[in-house]
Amino acid sequence: MSTVVGGAVILVTGASGNVGSALLERLRAKGAAAVGAYRDPAKAPAGQRAVRVDLGEPGTLVPAMRGVDTVFLLGAMSPAQTAHELAVLAAARRVGARVVKLSVWRADEGLSPIARLHRPVEEALRVSGLRWTVLRPNFYLQNFLRQGGIRASGEFSFPVINAPISFVDVNDIADVAAAVLTTDGHDGRVYSLTGPAALTYPQAAATFADVLGKPVRYLGFPDDEARSRLVGQGMPEFHADALIDVARAFRDGGAAAVTSTVLDLTGHPARGLAEFVLANRAIFG
Ligand SMILES: NC(=O)c1ccc[n+]([C@@H]2O[C@H](COP(=O)([O-])OP(=O)(O)OC[C@H]3O[C@@H](n4cnc5c(N)ncnc54)[C@H](OP(=O)(O)O)[C@@H]3O)[C@@H](O)[C@H]2O)c1
């Protein structure tokens, strides 16, 4: 890989979210010319170049991409996600921008509804004539941050998956994305991203307990009950249904593989659960 930071302009969609905000921090640190795409540019941190983009308003796309060399494409989960991302590809073709797409674990197999949102975009990229790279992360460790029960009562709950999962830290996704965006040699590559090990939820609970020094247990609910709890916690029904279907898809261990992508592309080992819990212990209590 050789460095290509130079004057290339990178547009980061999903700029206010988990991955986008962490990625923009890395690009700034590397001195890259990065522009954050926000529905509300007032959300941009001080000093961040920002442009208004609403993926549901295709008319905002081409103006935001003028002078842009590379687009980091991150669509938020919704039934419209595929259409939103395909609109970005159409705009990227108009301006000739390279696309680095944030996808999902095993997207090509379409095993879950989330994978089926991403797969058509990956397929469209392959035949787009554009320069492209795809990142396919496994479950984010940051999904645990939504589990307020860890702090309140030493419990967390997910739909039952007894098989291990190689959770990945959003910070590592951002590190990999920053490396891909600022070096060459990644065209036509698909990178699957995981943490350093695969853990079952009970093993994850034991790690939380060790690091936090308090009992933490995992409650695995049958699908119907898990769905009602997720919706009751404020999750949109589409999102809750998708998570249940993901659990069904990976009960056979299909989310357990561990890859060396983080180490290969960043030079540092992937962050594990213990490191994540320690970094967020103020939240988990
Ligand atoms: N969670 C996981 O375990 C996991 C694993 C693998 C892959 N993924 C993929 O990761 C992606 C989500 O990443 P994330 O967690 O970083 O996202 P996130 O934190 O949920 O943030 C979503 C971002 O999208 C923006 N957004 C929403 N609707 C938009 C619209 N119509 N136009 C423009 N921007 C819009 C939001 O901006 P506002 O501030 O304006 O709302 C926000 O910046 C999804 O594609 C998902 O499939 C997730």
Side-chain angles (χ1 to χ4, degrees):
M1 294 183 292
S2 59
T3 301
V4 292
V5 170
V9 178
I10 301 162
L11 181 73
V12 175
T13 62
S16 64
N18 291 311
V19 174
S21 59
L23 172 59
L24 281 163
E25 280 174 21
R26 271 105 179 134
L27 293 174
R28 272 201 300 279
K30 286 176 184 280
V35 183
Y38 299 85
R39 280 195 289 193
D40 175 6
K43 285 191 179 174
Q48 174 63 58
R49 280 177 67 191
V51 65
R52 181 175 177 275
V53 167
D54 189 324
L55 302 184
E57 295 175 27
T60 63
L61 296 173
V62 170
M65 284 191 206
R66 289 211 180 93
V68 164
D69 300 282
T70 303
V71 178
F72 179 73
L73 171 55
L74 183 150
M77 201 162 95
S78 85
Q81 180 174 351
T82 307
H84 285 177
E85 295 196 23
L86 291 175
V88 175
L89 297 200
R93 272 197 299 272
R94 294 264 300 275
V95 301
R98 172 170 79 121
V99 175
V100 176
K101 171 177 159 50
L102 193 286
S103 182
V104 73
W105 185 248
R106 298 177 67 175
D108 53 330
E109 298 165 64
L111 296 173
S112 72
I114 300 177
R116 290 192 289 277
L117 291 172
H118 287 282
R119 182 167 63 177
V121 185
E122 289 197 8
E123 288 172 352
L125 263 180
R126 283 177 198 281
V127 297
S128 64
L130 295 169
R131 296 175 58 207
W132 61 267
T133 307
V134 166
L135 309 181
R136 288 186 192 151
N138 205 342
F139 289 59
Y140 297 173
L141 278 174
Q142 276 69 10
N143 295 338
F144 284 104
L145 293 172
R146 287 200 292 256
Q147 295 277 343
I150 297 175
R151 183 185 187 90
S153 51
E155 290 171 348
F156 65 84
S157 60
F158 283 103
V160 173
I161 306 182
N162 293 320
I165 299 170
S166 53
F167 301 99
V168 61
D169 193 307
V170 160
N171 289 293
D172 287 331
I173 301 171
D175 285 346
V176 167
V180 167
L181 288 163
T182 56
T183 58
D184 60 18
H186 308 290
D187 288 355
R189 302 291 302 271
V190 176
Y191 295 116
S192 295
L193 277 56
T194 73
L199 296 172
T200 62
Y201 283 128
Q203 287 170 332
T207 302
F208 272 97
D210 276 354
V211 177
L212 298 175
K214 68 175 192 179
V216 176
R217 65 188 186 125
Y218 159 63
L219 305 175
F221 290 105
D223 292 349
D224 286 351
E225 197 176 340
R227 184 186 186 284
S228 326
R229 291 175 72 94
L230 291 169
V231 172
Q233 289 159 8
M235 186 175 280
E237 293 197 356
F238 168 79
H239 195 152
D241 287 339
L243 286 189
I244 303 292
D245 279 346
V246 168
R248 283 196 190 110
F250 292 136
R251 272 177 191 147
D252 65 348
V258 172
T259 69
S260 61
T261 310
V262 173
L263 180 62
D264 297 344
L265 292 189
T266 69
H268 68 69
R271 295 160 173 92
L273 177 62
E275 193 177 349
F276 164 78
V277 178
L278 195 58
N280 292 286
R281 64 190 179 284
I283 294 170
F284 293 124

